């Protein structure tokens, strides 16, 4: 007897794999439903990919949220991105009043979820601009199977700053626990990536007013060990080849 009768399948579309009225299991249908179930139910099923970029050119927030209720949800500002006319960016804001909307932060649980280590993603590069009247200190934070962690890399933006290129390492040794216990486990199963305004590495932003422009959020790699080893070998090989020539002179 087929036991796959998952009733709460994704978006309520797949109710179970039994053929109605036949009283027996269709193996092919069960396999298909099982595949679709795992595709849509596992955390991070819309997996992060190397070099993916959120550039907001679609005039959409591309999944970046602040969670309801919020008096100033994320919005898109047209023609004010780093390259000017035709370049759009994301804007997040905070009132600085304790309560909904008081903290400057934004998270993404869709395309920025998944296995960062398998994807070869070791960091995030982004363009940031402080468009408010108070200084900001921006870092990244993740949540995953090993708990919450924050980047040691942070960038300070003065009020009304220019666009600034920022880079945040997501290597396990470059993350600080923010309640988490295993950075590697979290990187293998990221459920949320977020921007946070905080003087110190943290998962939760401080209560403070602010307005932050964000553009070109990009997943970047690290140099793999074999490549680094090869580069080191070639460097020393080049030095060795040069020595006899110096001696002859």
């Amino acid at each position: 007897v087929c036991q796959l009768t998952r009733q709460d399948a994704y978006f309520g579309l797949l109710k179970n794999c039994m053929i109605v009225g036949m009283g027996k299991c269709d193996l092919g249908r069960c396999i298909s439903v099982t595949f679709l179930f795992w595709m849509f139910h596992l955390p991070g099923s819309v997996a992060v990919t190397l070099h993916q970029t959120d550039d907001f050119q679609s005039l959409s927030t591309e999944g970046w949220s602040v969670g309801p209720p919020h008096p100033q949800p994320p919005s898109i500002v047209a023609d004010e991105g780093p390259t000017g006319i035709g370049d759009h960016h994301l804007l997040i804001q905070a009132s600085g009043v304790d309560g909904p909307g008081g903290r400057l932060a934004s998270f993404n649980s869709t395309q920025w979820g998944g296995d960062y280590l398998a994807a070869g993603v070791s960091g995030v590069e982004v363009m940031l601009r402080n468009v408010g009247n108070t200084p900001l200190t921006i870092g990244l934070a993740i949540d995953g199977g090993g708990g919450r962690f924050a980047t040691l890399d942070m960038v300070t933006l003065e009020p009304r700053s220019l666009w600034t290129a920022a880079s945040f390492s997501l290597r396990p040794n470059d993350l600080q626990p923010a309640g988490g216990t295993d950075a590697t486990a979290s990187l293998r199963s990221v459920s949320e990536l977020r921007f946070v305004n905080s003087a110190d590495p943290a998962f939760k932003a401080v209560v403070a007013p602010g307005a932050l422009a964000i553009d070109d959020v990009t997943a970047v790699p690290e140099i793999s060990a074999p490549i680094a080893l090869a580069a080191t070998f070639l460097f020393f090989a080049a030095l060795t080849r040069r020595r006899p020539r110096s001696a002859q002179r």
Side-chain angles (χ1 to χ4, degrees), residues 67-78:
H70 195 294
Q72 296 175 300
S75 60
I76 298 299
V77 178

Side-chain angles (χ1 to χ4, degrees), residues 152-174:
L152 294 175
D153 292 332
M154 307 184 80
V155 58
T156 298
L157 302 171
E158 295 301 321
R160 301 292 171 180
S161 70
L162 299 176
W163 281 102
T164 301
S167 180
F168 302 95
S169 173
L170 291 173
R171 297 182 182 92
N173 290 339
D174 295 330

Side-chain angles (χ1 to χ4, degrees), residues 40-240:
F40 289 109
H41 274 70
L42 284 176
S45 60
V46 183
V48 66
T49 58
L50 191 59
H51 303 303
Q52 73 177 38
T53 299
D54 290 352
D55 60 14
F56 310 105
Q57 291 303 99
S58 63
L59 295 176
S60 161
T61 59
E62 300 191 21
W64 290 95
S65 176
V66 290
H70 195 294
Q72 296 175 300
S75 60
I76 298 299
V77 178
D79 300 324
E80 293 186 12
T83 61
I85 300 299
D87 191 4
H88 317 316
H89 70 76
L90 179 72
L91 175 67
I92 60 173
Q93 303 177 77
S95 66
V97 178
D98 197 8
R103 303 170 188 267
L104 189 68
S106 183
F107 61 86
N108 191 300
S109 300
T110 52
Q111 72 271 20
W112 289 94
D115 188 338
Y116 279 51
L117 300 183
V121 175
S122 68
V124 170
E125 292 181 350
V126 60
M127 296 298 294
L128 300 173
R129 183 184 181 190
N130 183 351
V131 294
N133 297 315
T134 56
L136 301 175
T137 302
I138 304 298
L140 286 185
I142 62 168
D143 196 3
R148 294 173 172 179
F149 290 83
T151 59
L152 294 175
D153 292 332
M154 307 184 80
V155 58
T156 298
L157 302 171
E158 295 301 321
R160 301 292 171 180
S161 70
L162 299 176
W163 281 102
T164 301
S167 180
F168 302 95
S169 173
L170 291 173
R171 297 182 182 92
N173 290 339
D174 295 330
L175 297 175
Q176 176 169 302
T181 58
D182 189 333
T184 298
S186 287
L187 287 168
R188 290 197 181 282
S189 56
V190 172
S191 58
E192 178 180 308
L193 176 73
R194 59 167 53 196
F195 289 97
V196 177
N197 176 39
S198 176
D200 301 304
F203 186 82
K204 192 174 184 178
V206 296
V207 177
L212 178 67
I214 302 172
D215 203 6
D216 299 328
V217 190
T218 305
V220 297
E222 65 178 334
I223 299 178
S224 66
I227 294 176
L229 212 60
T232 303
F233 173 79
L234 290 173
F235 173 75
F236 283 106
L239 287 180
T240 303

